Amino acid sequence: GEDVEQSLFLSVREGDSSVINCTYTDSSSTYLYWYKQEPGAGLQLLTYIFSNMDMKQDQRLTVLLNKKDKHLSLRIADTQTGDSAIYFCAETLSGAGSYQLTFGKGTKLSVIP
Amino acid sequence: DTEVTQTPKHLVMGMTNKKSLKCEQHMGHRAMYWYKQKAKKPPELMFVYSYEKLSINESVPSRFSPECPNSSLLNLHLHALQPEDSALYLCASSPTGRGWEDTQYFGPGTRLTVL
């Protein structure tokens, strides 16, 4: 099964808050990431959080981590049309002496003007 | 500067062609990665170079051949590809490729179409 799970679609009105959710399964210490991908573009690192933190805020972005439930969320305040994109949650997993990213399937955020 | 550059942006090639994708970073990172991304899917890891040595090859067919000439450059040589290899090829880099805090930064990708 998937190590990282996300809902596939989210639609919000411009100016509202968006909340994108993610669950992960690795119980060891890890870094968790949010990447944004606009159509035809690469992945833009938005923010990340270490698994011993509960919350991280960066301007309009707030990341909440519930380690007990292995639940991660990304809140975008005052969502704008430019926020329309696919958002990937990812966690760092260790293996063979290196650390690799495991991605969720991505949540497509549509912002309605 | 957290920029990873990739060339070309778009590439169309026939199944008998030989072509190369290029990736460059000047952040002093010592790990570089190739990913393949199909439409509406997350990126899939292909290769990892750490300190210019190939550390991970995720069972990628030999028609894809990576090369790391120095710590700033990463190439992906393509030969005898199949139409199903058409995808967005993403390059990424990270400080070391080791350690939990090793954050990856991605380039814009090369959109490859194999006819």
Side-chain angles (χ1 to χ4, degrees), chain B residues 12-19 78-81:
Chain B
V12 179
M13 60 187 290
M15 289 190 283
T16 58
N17 292 157
K18 283 186 182 180
K19 296 285 185 184
L78 313 173
H79 175 52
L81 294 194

Side-chain angles (χ1 to χ4, degrees), chain A residues 19-66:
Chain A
V19 179
I20 304 171
N21 295 302
C22 170
T23 57
Y24 62 99
T25 58
D26 192 344
S27 59
S28 57
S29 296
T30 186
Y31 275 78
L32 296 145
Y33 298 86
W34 285 105
Y35 286 90
K36 175 185 179 183
Q37 187 174 35
E38 297 183 39
L43 272 68
Q44 175 193 350
L45 176 66
L46 287 179
T47 187
Y48 59 92
I49 189 169
F50 187 51
S51 55
N52 69 350
M53 297 170 64
D54 298 323
M55 185 182 90
K56 183 178 180 182
Q57 187 154 5
D58 183 3
Q59 299 184 338
R60 293 192 296 123
L61 305 179
T62 303
V63 178
L64 294 178
L65 178 59
N66 180 328

Side-chain angles (χ1 to χ4, degrees), chain B residues 25-31 71-72 94-96:
Chain B
Q25 56 86 18
H26 294 289
M27 295 178 276
H29 289 175
R30 301 308 298 272
S71 60
S72 300
S94 67
T96 65

Side-chain angles (χ1 to χ4, degrees), chain B residues 41-54:
Chain B
K41 300 285 188 186
E44 297 173 7
L45 184 65
M46 299 174 72
F47 303 104
V48 181
Y49 274 83
S50 181
Y51 292 82
E52 294 101 73
K53 287 191 172 19
L54 183 64

Side-chain angles (χ1 to χ4, degrees), chain B:
Chain B
D1 181 12
T2 56
E3 190 177 28
V4 176
T5 59
Q6 290 186 243
T7 55
K9 276 197 75 166
H10 302 276
L11 179 62
V12 179
M13 60 187 290
M15 289 190 283
T16 58
N17 292 157
K18 283 186 182 180
K19 296 285 185 184
S20 297
L21 310 184
K22 296 187 184 306
C23 174
E24 192 166 0
Q25 56 86 18
H26 294 289
M27 295 178 276
H29 289 175
R30 301 308 298 272
M32 297 186 77
Y33 308 75
W34 280 116
Y35 288 85
K36 174 183 178 180
Q37 187 181 25
K38 300 284 274 184
K40 302 186 194 306
K41 300 285 188 186
E44 297 173 7
L45 184 65
M46 299 174 72
F47 303 104
V48 181
Y49 274 83
S50 181
Y51 292 82
E52 294 101 73
K53 287 191 172 19
L54 183 64
S55 61
I56 292 178
N57 175 342
E58 291 285 1
S59 303
V60 179
S62 59
R63 57 187 185 266
F64 295 92
S65 174
E67 179 198 18
C68 190
N70 60 55
S71 60
S72 300
L73 291 173
L74 184 67
N75 298 321
L76 186 62
H77 302 299
L78 313 173
H79 175 52
L81 294 194
Q82 304 296 310
E84 60 264 29
D85 297 321
S86 298
L88 181 68
Y89 288 84
L90 293 165
C91 174
S93 72
S94 67
T96 65
R98 305 166 186 170
W100 296 111
E101 73 284 9
D102 202 53
T103 300
Q104 292 184 32
Y105 296 87
F106 284 79
T110 294
R111 174 73 59 189
L112 174 67
T113 303
V114 182
L115 300 176

